[in-house]
């Protein structure tokens, strides 16, 4: 298992981590299999996305619109309960196929970390399962 550290720069942002993940696969003893990613935080998420210019901002606007402005009761910090909810909705893990140490992604797909409560240093766990 590998640990990756990603530094975010904004309160909310979409970061392309595709190359970072593929760098780990390049060092893998497995040429093909499944790459499992897990973000070790409750205010960040992982997904795949098309990152044409402006799409990241469109995604963030859409995420913001999904979470209602309620009077949250979270004792730690009610101001970022929406960030916790979005993380749970988007998801904190991905399992991606890879072949010849490259992720199997569609033409426009990129692996992205969604920062919801930055800037911070985010830790991801990465594990590889070889195909038989």
């Amino acid at each position: 298992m590998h640990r990756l550290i990603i530094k975010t720069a904004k309160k909310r942002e979409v970061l392309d981590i595709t190359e970072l993940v593929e760098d780990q696969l390049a060092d893998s003893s497995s040429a093909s299999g499944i790459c499992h990613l897990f973000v070790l935080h409750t205010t960040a998420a992982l997904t795949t996305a098309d990152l044409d210019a402006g799409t990241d901002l469109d995604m963030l606007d859409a995420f913001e619109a999904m979470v209602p402005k309620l009077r949250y009761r979270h004792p730690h910090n009610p101001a970022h309960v929406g960030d916790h909810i979005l993380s749970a909705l988007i998801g904190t893990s991905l399992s991606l196929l890879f072949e010849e140490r490259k992720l199997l992604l569609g033409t426009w797909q990129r692996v992205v970390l969604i920062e919801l409560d930055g800037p911070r240093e985010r830790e991801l766990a990465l594990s590889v399962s070889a195909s038989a």
Side-chain angles (χ1 to χ4, degrees):
M1 182 169 313
H2 301 278
R3 300 287 178 109
L4 308 173
I5 302 297
I6 299 170
K7 292 181 181 181
T8 65
K10 299 176 185 172
K11 162 70 175 154
R12 292 202 170 167
E13 66 182 312
V14 178
L15 294 153
D16 185 345
I17 63 169
T18 308
E19 277 81 24
L20 183 62
V21 173
E22 286 189 333
D23 287 347
Q24 296 299 311
L25 294 176
D27 295 335
S28 173
S29 60
S30 303
S32 298
I34 301 172
C35 174
H36 305 280
L37 293 169
F38 180 69
V39 62
L40 301 167
H41 302 275
T42 61
T43 56
L46 293 167
T47 192
T48 59
D50 172 352
L51 288 182
D52 283 338
T55 304
D56 58 337
L57 299 176
D58 292 341
M59 289 174 66
L60 293 173
D61 288 347
F63 294 148
E64 180 73 28
M66 287 180 194
V67 178
K69 303 293 183 225
L70 302 174
R71 191 169 158 259
Y72 294 113
R73 296 172 290 275
H74 183 49
H76 171 65
N77 179 358
H80 75 195
V81 172
D83 305 327
H84 290 292
I85 292 169
L86 283 173
S87 175
L89 288 173
I90 299 164
T92 56
S93 66
L94 279 178
S95 292
L96 302 160
L97 298 172
F98 68 96
E99 188 173 67
E100 296 178 15
R101 294 185 175 81
K102 290 286 186 185
L103 293 170
L104 291 177
L105 296 171
T107 302
W108 305 110
Q109 278 183 308
R110 307 297 291 169
V111 180
V112 296
L113 171 73
I114 310 290
E115 174 60 77
L116 299 165
D117 190 34
R120 294 193 185 205
E121 199 170 83
R122 298 299 189 171
E123 185 176 8
L124 276 69
L126 182 147
S127 177
V128 172
S129 299
S131 61

